Amino acid sequence: RGQLINFYPVSDDVIYKNLVDNFSVSPSLAKNLTKLSASCPMTAIKFLQDENLYNYYQEIAQSFLEFLDTNFAYRVGIIDEVVKRAEVLSKIEILQIWQSVLRDLILVNCGQYDLVRNEFMLDKLKEFSKKYSKNGELGKKIVTINSALEYHQANINFKAVLEYLAVNI
């Protein structure tokens, strides 16, 4: 016999309290890690234990704003950096980080600052969202990244997938 057990996401309050109480993390870092964890406590702990992983996540997220805001030639340079460092985070995780940045831009445009996942760069997101005030335009970019994820899962070379994004985003 079997029994269906539903596991629900862990609340942000529980993750935050655990980081502050059990890991002696500063409140601001605990808040950032809680947001980035997306209701997965082990993700927050992984970021806490591996500072390089946390820093790399931040670099990937911030470089995506540069990626959106530059010409094709500069985008290719960003792609080369991302491909070189794709060993730290999985290739799918990199594309998911980029998706989360676009999602955050939509949330900032709607004034939903408390739902922003990449809160560590909230000021940059606010500044950048002025350039993309139409959420439909950001939605199209999310669809493009979704297509890129599908291409990568269909075993298309990761660099080719990123180049597809450089042309189409």
Side-chain angles (χ1 to χ4, degrees):
R1 291 189 172 219
Q3 182 179 1
L4 182 64
I5 300 174
N6 294 317
F7 289 97
Y8 297 100
V10 178
S11 82
D12 285 351
D13 294 336
V14 170
I15 296 171
Y16 176 83
K17 186 170 177 16
N18 183 41
L19 289 172
V20 171
D21 293 347
N22 297 333
F23 292 92
S24 302
V25 175
S26 71
S28 62
L29 179 58
K31 185 177 178 184
N32 284 338
L33 294 175
T34 299
K35 293 277 189 169
L36 289 178
S37 73
S39 299
C40 299
M42 283 310 296
T43 302
I45 292 170
K46 233 169 46 172
F47 280 132
L48 182 63
Q49 292 173 340
D50 188 351
E51 190 175 332
N52 289 333
L53 179 66
Y54 180 59
N55 291 335
Y56 186 63
Y57 179 99
Q58 290 179 325
E59 288 173 24
I60 290 293
Q62 291 174 356
S63 72
F64 183 64
L65 288 179
E66 294 172 27
F67 185 85
L68 285 175
D69 201 29
T70 60
N71 61 30
F72 180 77
Y74 191 73
R75 287 179 181 179
V76 171
I78 292 173
I79 288 171
D80 289 339
E81 276 301 309
V82 169
V83 169
K84 283 179 193 172
R85 302 180 81 192
E87 297 167 4
V88 179
L89 291 167
S90 79
K91 296 166 183 169
I92 290 176
E93 286 175 318
I94 290 169
L95 294 173
Q96 289 171 339
I97 293 168
W98 287 9
Q99 266 183 328
S100 74
V101 171
L102 288 172
R103 174 190 170 273
D104 287 349
L105 284 169
I106 291 172
L107 290 169
V108 167
N109 280 343
C110 296
Q112 299 294 317
Y113 306 118
D114 57 326
L115 299 176
V116 169
R117 183 175 179 190
N118 299 295
E119 193 169 279
F120 64 90
M121 59 183 214
L122 184 59
D123 292 333
K124 285 185 179 182
L125 289 168
K126 285 179 183 177
E127 181 182 318
F128 198 82
S129 70
K130 295 172 187 171
K131 298 176 186 177
Y132 291 98
S133 59
K134 298 178 184 172
N135 287 335
E137 187 177 344
L138 292 170
K140 289 177 187 174
K141 293 181 185 314
I142 288 175
V143 169
T144 304
I145 289 184
N146 288 342
S147 297
L149 276 164
E150 290 174 12
Y151 295 151
H152 179 65
Q153 290 170 341
N155 287 332
I156 294 179
N157 179 287
F158 186 58
K159 187 170 182 177
V161 169
L162 292 178
E163 288 169 351
Y164 161 79
L165 284 174
V167 171
N168 293 296
I169 205 152

